[in-house]
Amino acid sequence: MFLVRLIYTSKTSHNFGPEDIENILEKARINNQKKNVTGLLCFNNKFFLQCLEGSRQAVNDTYHHILNDDRHSNIIMLNYTEIIVREFEQWSMGYMPQSSMTSPITLKHSGTPNFAPYEMSGESAHCLMLALKESIRTC
Ligand SMILES: Cc1cc2nc3c(=O)[nH]c(=O)nc-3n(C[C@H](O)[C@H](O)[C@H](O)COP(=O)(O)O)c2cc1C
């Protein structure tokens, strides 16, 4: 089965608490490992930006679960494409908190230095996530 990449953005529901992000990551990593889904989740305490990659079946299935999760809302798909290779193969779900998203990196990929994924194109969001991956490699 060939590979696809899906990128979406969303925002937290009003009752979202600090323990929610830990629960999401724990569950995501367990489920994704079983389905060979890999990816990256960026989160600045308000907005999510997530990349999922894997077989079309596995990515679509995971996204359907995510769409029905009431811990977030306003879910907008930014990018869905067939890919040849994975880019986040080392992570069943990598995580970039606010502190990892420095202004120079976000400014390079968007109109402001703030993390504003609703205002980003799918390709810019994709490039931002690749840059974030590289930034932790070079630290
Ligand atoms: C922002 C966000 C990202 C999520 N990412 C994933 C993910 O990558 N993989 C996953 O299985 N579930 C993810 N979830 C959780 C799913 O929405 C859902 O709760 C979970 O897949 C249910 O798993 P279960 O049927 O094994 O209980 C995410 C939820 C949110 C709010």
Side-chain angles (χ1 to χ4, degrees):
M1 175 80 83
F2 56 82
L3 292 166
V4 300
R5 174 179 69 231
L6 187 157
I7 298 174
Y8 74 86
T9 188
S10 64
K11 64 180 185 185
T12 53
S13 301
H14 57 277
N15 54 353
F16 195 88
E19 70 290 349
D20 284 317
I21 188 66
E22 286 167 29
N23 294 338
I24 287 169
L25 281 170
E26 191 181 350
K27 175 64 86 171
R29 286 168 178 158
I30 292 168
N31 287 354
N32 294 355
Q33 203 163 12
K34 285 184 201 153
K35 294 184 195 166
N36 298 310
V37 169
T38 50
L40 177 63
L41 178 65
C42 304
F43 178 55
N44 74 340
N45 300 322
K46 183 171 183 192
F47 301 123
F48 295 104
L49 176 67
Q50 188 174 28
C51 176
L52 300 166
E53 54 188 21
S55 75
R56 182 169 63 192
Q57 181 73 56
V59 168
N60 289 6
D61 187 54
T62 302
Y63 188 57
H64 280 128
H65 279 105
I66 291 172
L67 283 175
N68 289 320
D69 195 317
D70 61 10
R71 290 172 289 190
H72 64 165
S73 63
N74 289 47
I75 303 163
I76 305 286
M77 192 192 289
L78 301 181
N79 178 271
Y80 185 94
T81 190
E82 293 171 10
I83 55 173
I84 297 166
V85 292
R86 294 174 193 252
E87 291 163 325
F88 301 103
E89 70 278 3
Q90 64 273 57
W91 293 320
S92 54
M93 190 43 62
Y95 180 54
M96 293 287 164
Q98 166 101 49
S99 57
S100 303
M101 294 186 275
T102 61
S103 304
I105 296 184
T106 47
L107 183 64
K108 183 169 181 179
H109 298 87
S110 45
T112 71
N114 306 323
F115 178 61
Y118 282 100
E119 290 161 42
M120 299 182 79
S121 69
E123 202 44 44
S124 287
H126 175 220
C127 288
L128 171 64
M129 285 191 270
L130 291 180
L132 290 168
K133 180 183 82 167
E134 287 306 314
S135 73
I136 60 164
R137 259 197 204 152
T138 53
C139 282

